[in-house]
Amino acid sequence: MTSRQDTVPASTRTSPKHRLAPVTRTSPKQRLVLLLATLAGTLSAWHALKPSWQVPLPTPAVLGEERLQDFRDALYFPIREFLAGGNPYDPAAMFAHWPVRQDFNLYQPYHLLLHAPFALPGYRAGAIAFTFFSLLLLVALAALTAHAVRRYVPVPFAVTTAVVAALLVTSQVGKAQLYVGQINPLIALGAAGALLARRDRPGWAAVALALAWLKPQYGFPLAVLLFARGSRRVALLGTAIAAAASLPVVVLLVVRGGGIGPFLDVVVANLAHARGTAYGAVDSVTAQRIDVAAVLFRVTGWTPSELVVLAGVLVASALLIRRTKEPVADLLTLLAVVVCVVHQPGDVLIAVPAMAVVAALWWRHRAEPGWTSGGLAVLALAVPFAHLYTVDRLFGPRTSVTVDGAAVVIAWVLAVVAARRVA
């Protein structure tokens, strides 16, 4: 049963004319599309899975290896350090004990338990299992996208799932998840699931939000915006679930480290290392970031206050989403999450279901006021999915990231415009 707090203003709900009955039959043309999408997706999936068994085993000599680098640095060896009795959040310990290139960022501690099965076997077996699991999560995200679209447009579920899954594993963003070994597919499912289930199934939405909290730069802004949209129970319960799941790991690390003081010293050292490395710092031309602060630096040379950007984007978005139609409000919510704080091109994965819904409704209502901005927002957001790294070779290092970042920020601005104009 939906709580009073999880209701939203009538103006944000979709009118009954958008709630169309789902299609139960597929035409011969749709079956052909299903077959072609399945074949194309299978070929792309096979190509995307290959790095997991081709990547060399980690040694100090291959620290620059990009294949599965996030699996290596943010999952496998941090969990190994934790299971060995150490603190993976301590950069000094990680660099001393394991062949990693990056320190272990401040992921939610329950990440060390949730993904432990992939760190128990040997490295190659763990890499293959995790990559295949991530592929299944991308297919699940495609299925969630199909479910979201079917709320508004009568499309066959299987066909939509197959087409979206094929596009995901063929796109630059989708392939990168498997190539680098990121945990974004799980976070994307959590973020999208929290939005889709927040009214009808607030309990499941809270669990989904807890998954999005795996990386705090997703969980915090998403919880704030869900709270602003009236889903207070989801925002608070999801945050509480994430905190409760992490508490046993935190307690263990505190005990191992000799108390709260030494544990906090490790957290400070972790943050200091993150600010000092050019790998992710905002004021670095080598940073793989697409948030507002990073884009402004790349385009203008000016480094804005990240706290001001965070607050500004969240406040501006929160003021609009309560008065906006749900599909556009969902897109604006997820774009705000990506542009308000440290994010990379692959992080736009969380917006896939909202992109698909807005694109479908834009096609239906493209002659109506406001929908042009929504369609353009989706088009701009598609840039990271479609770009080729050849632009870096033609125009200089990190040009593609700058283009991606500018496109995503423009998409957020266009979503703001659509939120104000869509009737």
Side-chain angles (χ1 to χ4, degrees):
M1 184 174 180
T2 305
S3 70
R4 189 180 185 87
Q5 290 178 326
D6 288 305
T7 58
V8 296
S11 61
T12 68
R13 298 174 188 164
T14 305
S15 61
K17 66 180 180 179
H18 291 153
R19 300 285 181 171
L20 301 177
V23 170
T24 55
R25 287 185 176 182
T26 57
S27 66
K29 183 177 180 180
Q30 289 170 336
R31 287 194 288 272
L32 177 60
V33 171
L34 173 62
L35 175 62
L36 293 176
T38 301
L39 290 175
T42 301
L43 290 174
S44 293
W46 175 257
H47 178 72
L49 286 170
K50 286 196 295 184
S52 65
W53 60 77
Q54 293 177 341
V55 62
L57 295 177
T59 66
V62 293
L63 290 184
E65 175 62 59
E66 292 184 350
R67 287 174 294 182
L68 279 299
Q69 67 173 11
D70 279 14
F71 172 76
R72 177 193 67 197
D73 296 349
L75 193 153
Y76 190 82
F77 287 120
I79 294 175
R80 284 280 177 141
E81 175 71 12
F82 175 70
L83 295 177
N87 186 344
Y89 295 102
D90 184 355
M94 288 302 300
F95 290 130
H97 300 158
W98 308 102
V100 294
R101 179 188 180 189
Q102 310 165 74
D103 70 321
F104 179 57
N105 293 326
L106 296 179
Y107 288 65
Q108 282 285 344
Y110 75 82
H111 161 69
L112 299 169
L113 298 179
L114 183 66
H115 289 109
F118 300 108
L120 294 177
Y123 182 82
R124 194 173 303 283
I128 293 172
F130 178 75
T131 306
F132 184 73
F133 177 68
S134 297
L135 174 64
L136 294 180
L137 291 176
L138 289 179
V139 175
L141 181 63
L144 190 65
T145 301
H147 173 72
V149 172
R150 274 164 57 97
R151 287 183 168 189
Y152 304 92
V153 181
V155 293
F157 178 81
V159 175
T160 307
T161 299
V163 170
V164 174
L167 290 174
L168 279 177
V169 296
T170 305
S171 71
Q172 188 66 43
V173 167
K175 288 187 298 184
Q177 310 307 309
L178 308 184
Y179 186 84
V180 184
Q182 296 181 337
I183 64 171
N184 286 341
L186 182 59
I187 295 174
L189 273 176
L195 285 176
L196 289 174
R198 67 189 185 91
R199 288 207 311 267
D200 300 331
R201 295 178 176 83
W204 283 111
V207 174
L209 175 60
L211 290 177
W213 263 106
L214 264 171
K215 292 183 180 179
Q217 71 263 37
Y218 287 94
F220 172 72
L222 182 57
V224 169
L225 292 173
L226 283 171
F227 192 92
R229 292 182 67 171
S231 296
R232 299 178 182 177
R233 174 184 172 187
V234 173
L236 297 175
L237 182 58
T239 302
I241 291 172
S246 292
L247 184 60
V249 179
V250 173
V251 170
L252 182 58
L253 292 176
V254 168
V255 172
R256 285 178 179 177
I260 295 178
F263 176 76
L264 294 178
D265 290 340
V266 168
V267 173
V268 171
N270 188 290
L271 292 172
H273 184 273
R275 286 193 297 267
T277 178
Y279 201 77
V282 66
D283 54 347
S284 169
V285 295
T286 64
Q288 290 272 0
R289 287 177 53 176
I290 59 169
D291 50 276
V292 168
V295 170
L296 284 176
F297 169 76
R298 284 205 183 88
V299 173
T300 68
W302 170 59
T303 306
S305 167
E306 292 180 297
L307 288 178
V308 171
V309 170
L310 172 66
V313 171
L314 291 183
V315 170
S317 301
L319 290 175
L320 287 170
I321 54 179
R322 286 182 61 86
R323 304 191 302 271
T324 306
K325 279 184 176 293
E326 189 172 87
V328 176
D330 288 349
L331 182 63
L332 178 58
T333 297
L334 295 170
L335 279 172
V337 169
V338 173
V339 302
C340 73
V341 71
V342 179
H343 278 286
Q344 298 180 344
D347 298 348
V348 298
L349 192 68
I350 67 172
V352 167
M355 285 176 65
V357 174
V358 171
L361 289 181
W362 165 78
W363 182 252
R364 282 192 151 210
H365 304 283
R366 57 191 181 279
E368 298 177 12
W371 279 105
T372 298
S373 300
L376 290 174
V378 172
L379 186 62
L381 191 54
V383 170
F385 289 89
H387 86 262
L388 299 174
Y389 282 112
T390 51
V391 298
D392 286 342
R393 293 196 292 269
L394 294 175
F395 300 105
R398 307 305 182 195
T399 303
S400 59
V401 175
T402 301
V403 172
D404 287 348
V408 174
V409 172
I410 290 171
W412 175 72
V413 173
L414 289 168
V416 168
V417 174
R420 291 175 58 87
R421 294 183 178 176
V422 172

